Amino acid sequence: MARFELKLPKMGESVAEATITNWLKEVGDRIEADEAVLEIATDKVDSEVPSEVSGVLVEQLFGKDDLVQVGQTIAIIETEGDAPAVKIVEETAAPAEVADPETSGEKTIEAVKEDVSAPQDFTSSDKFFSPLVKNIAKEEGISIAELENIQGSGKDGRVTKDDILKYTEDRKSGVVQAPKAVEETPKAVVQAPKAVEPVVQKSQQTVPVSVNGGDEIIEMDRMRKLISGYMIASVQTSAHVQSFIEVDVTNIVKWRDKVKTAFEKREGEKLTFTPIMMEAVAKALKDFPGMNISVDGEYIIKKKNINLGMAAALPNGNLIVPVIKNADQLNLVGMAKAVNDLGNRAKAGKLKPDDTQGGTYTVTNVGTFGSVFGTPIINQPQVGILALGAIRKVPAVIETPEGDFIGIRQKMFLSHSYDHRVVDGALGGSFVKRVAEYLEAFDVDRDF
């Protein structure tokens, strides 16, 4: 018999940790090779961790909602055979770094005592805190106000385990004071404006909501909480402004109707309007590289690659944005295959973390739900997002050499939201106009 260490696999270039959301196998269960053992979640997608070997699960080193680093051992599987036994590192599962509860009685700051007297509620915070960080905060009596003011060293300023443990040590030694420092002087407010905002939001969210006997209270699921946080953060970060333009897509509709059957027969893929729109957006981004940027503080990052995010609705009503990498290098067939592949895997919950990383511009199709146009929220740290409205038959003025007349045309609205901090109206408007020009100039005689 041998013991095999099941480790959290590498899930992408920018993914360093994941939260365990559910154990699919319990201790004592038989596991076959490539069978899923547990479900994990990153800040974007959920996925399963399969076993590399067949055997019996003998130990779970982490529990549900625990945060695990890539490469850490999460379970032990006992296998049959003569493979050398694997050493188990005891400190992996032992919470040795959590402070002794007896030392928590040494706190002397009155503000901290008041916060500890009530159960800690982290749902009022717009920031994301891992389950491990929340547990440490609760055991150490760290209030939500203190937790929000900790400067995180993780991705996007996220508070890590090391950050909160260091803060705990500093607080006990008297290095840090109660979170009253934010309100002491105007100087403190100027130096740390981000610390003020959560306090204001918290007071707004404490307004009581009337609930009667017929109402049902449902807690948001994990992804909905993340989406909520992203949307609020984006509105608070970017100065959103919109430009709208109506596009005549009659030629595109006629061409697609003519070739869609042959396209599916030859390529094995359905031809929707989305890849045609994506092709036009990719061309426009090459013409206007000022839209293919991101913002980091006071710096603008010009992106070399054009990676198009494609907002996709999930069966449970949540939203996810998989990314088409190097979209400007794809022909229409390649774009259609990429759109269908990402869309199908999103619906099936089979996206990988890397599938949602690296986007430089996003397109969302609000017309799928019958909306004529919308005002989408920018996907940070990008500076623009384009909403595709529903295609409708409308009466329109048609200009001919013989004169103008009224005819029925297929039209749609493009709604462009962009960040006015770095994108002026001239650029934002010119970009969406260029997309419209590419769509209206579509060649009806082109091959696919």
Side-chain angles (χ1 to χ4, degrees):
M1 304 291 284
R3 290 162 71 84
F4 174 80
E5 285 189 350
L6 179 64
K7 300 178 182 293
L8 182 66
K10 184 176 177 61
M11 298 169 290
E13 292 297 329
S14 59
V15 181
E17 60 188 24
T19 301
I20 295 175
T21 56
N22 185 37
W23 281 96
L24 302 176
K25 296 292 182 179
E26 298 299 331
V27 173
D29 287 353
R30 174 75 186 178
I31 301 171
E32 300 298 329
D34 296 326
E35 186 177 6
V37 180
L38 68 156
E39 295 175 339
I40 59 173
T42 67
D43 59 349
K44 290 290 181 69
V45 298
D46 298 348
S47 57
E48 298 176 339
V49 177
S51 173
E52 301 173 37
V53 298
S54 297
V56 177
L57 181 63
V58 296
E59 192 171 356
Q60 297 174 346
L61 300 180
F62 292 89
K64 184 179 177 180
D65 294 333
D66 283 349
L67 189 69
V68 185
Q69 303 297 317
V70 169
Q72 275 191 296
T73 302
I74 49 182
I76 305 299
I77 299 173
E78 195 170 74
T79 64
E80 297 178 356
D82 298 325
V86 180
K87 273 189 177 181
I88 310 299
V89 182
E90 295 295 339
E91 64 185 21
T92 304
E97 294 175 300
V98 178
D100 187 343
E102 294 181 2
T103 62
S104 62
E106 297 174 1
K107 303 188 196 83
T108 57
I109 304 175
E110 288 300 318
V112 175
K113 288 182 179 179
E114 292 175 3
D115 288 330
V116 175
S117 61
Q120 298 301 318
D121 178 14
F122 299 102
T123 59
S124 60
S125 176
D126 294 320
K127 292 187 176 181
F128 173 82
F129 299 108
S130 70
L132 180 59
V133 170
K134 292 179 182 178
N135 290 337
I136 295 175
K138 289 178 181 178
E139 291 193 29
E140 293 297 326
I142 296 175
S143 68
I144 182 63
E146 287 182 271
L147 195 57
E148 287 179 329
N149 289 329
I150 296 176
Q151 296 298 317
S153 61
K155 182 184 176 184
D156 298 329
R158 183 180 300 173
V159 177
T160 66
K161 179 184 73 172
D162 293 336
D163 295 330
I164 192 169
L165 290 177
K166 184 178 183 302
Y167 177 86
T168 302
E169 294 175 2
D170 291 344
R171 192 177 68 166
K172 289 176 182 177
S173 62
V175 175
V176 296
Q177 301 296 323
K180 294 178 180 177
V182 179
E183 303 175 353
E184 282 179 358
T185 64
K187 182 179 179 181
V189 175
V190 173
Q191 290 177 340
K194 291 182 179 179
V196 178
E197 294 177 357
V199 177
V200 176
Q201 294 168 8
K202 182 178 179 182
S203 63
Q204 292 173 344
Q205 293 178 356
T206 55
V207 177
V209 178
S210 176
V211 179
N212 61 39
D215 295 335
E216 183 180 4
I217 301 174
I218 302 173
E219 183 180 4
M220 293 182 187
D221 60 26
R222 187 191 65 83
M223 183 170 284
R224 177 51 52 186
K225 291 177 182 178
L226 289 173
I227 293 172
S228 174
Y230 293 148
M231 295 300 97
I232 292 174
S234 181
V235 172
Q236 292 177 337
T237 300
S238 297
H240 281 65
V241 67
Q242 284 82 28
S243 292
F244 307 94
I245 191 166
E246 191 174 27
V247 191
D248 189 329
V249 291
T250 305
N251 288 340
I252 293 176
V253 173
K254 290 181 177 179
W255 179 83
R256 176 181 171 271
D257 289 342
K258 180 177 67 174
V259 305
K260 64 181 181 181
T261 302
F263 185 94
E264 184 172 3
K265 184 177 180 179
R266 192 185 86 177
E267 302 297 335
E269 300 281 350
K270 291 185 179 296
L271 179 61
T272 64
F273 289 110
T274 301
I276 300 174
M277 306 296 174
M278 289 291 198
E279 183 184 54
V281 172
K283 289 180 180 178
L285 285 172
K286 291 190 72 171
D287 296 341
F288 294 93
M291 287 305 311
N292 197 53
I293 65 174
S294 64
V295 179
D296 184 3
E298 296 181 349
Y299 295 91
I300 295 173
I301 302 172
K302 294 182 177 180
K303 297 294 184 176
K304 179 180 179 181
N305 298 328
I306 295 176
N307 300 332
L308 289 182
M310 179 186 74
L314 299 176
N316 61 3
N318 287 328
L319 189 73
I320 197 166
V321 186
V323 177
I324 302 172
K325 306 292 174 62
N326 299 309
D328 58 314
Q329 299 177 22
L330 298 176
N331 59 17
L332 186 59
V333 173
M335 189 74 78
K337 289 181 181 291
V339 167
N340 292 344
D341 173 58
L342 291 173
N344 292 335
R345 287 197 286 124
K347 292 177 182 177
K350 300 297 184 182
L351 287 175
K352 299 176 182 177
D354 264 357
D355 291 329
T356 61
Q357 303 292 330
T360 60
Y361 188 88
T362 298
V363 178
T364 179
N365 189 355
V366 298
T368 302
F369 312 105
S371 297
V372 178
F373 57 81
T375 55
I377 296 175
I378 297 169
N379 189 13
Q380 298 294 327
Q382 299 168 24
V383 299
I385 180 171
L386 184 70
L388 310 175
I391 297 176
R392 303 170 301 141
K393 289 183 179 180
V394 296
V397 175
I398 301 174
E399 298 179 356
T400 69
E402 291 74 26
D404 298 343
F405 66 93
I406 300 295
I408 297 176
R409 305 294 290 177
Q410 300 270 8
K411 290 197 173 187
M412 66 180 294
F413 281 100
L414 302 179
S415 309
H416 186 209
S417 294
Y418 47 96
D419 189 344
H420 215 351
R421 296 178 303 165
V422 291
V423 179
D424 292 329
L427 174 57
S430 297
F431 169 78
V432 70
K433 184 173 184 291
R434 183 62 54 84
V435 175
E437 289 170 351
Y438 279 128
L439 294 176
E440 291 187 336
F442 190 86
D443 183 6
V444 294
D445 296 321
R446 68 177 286 181
D447 189 15
F448 50 81

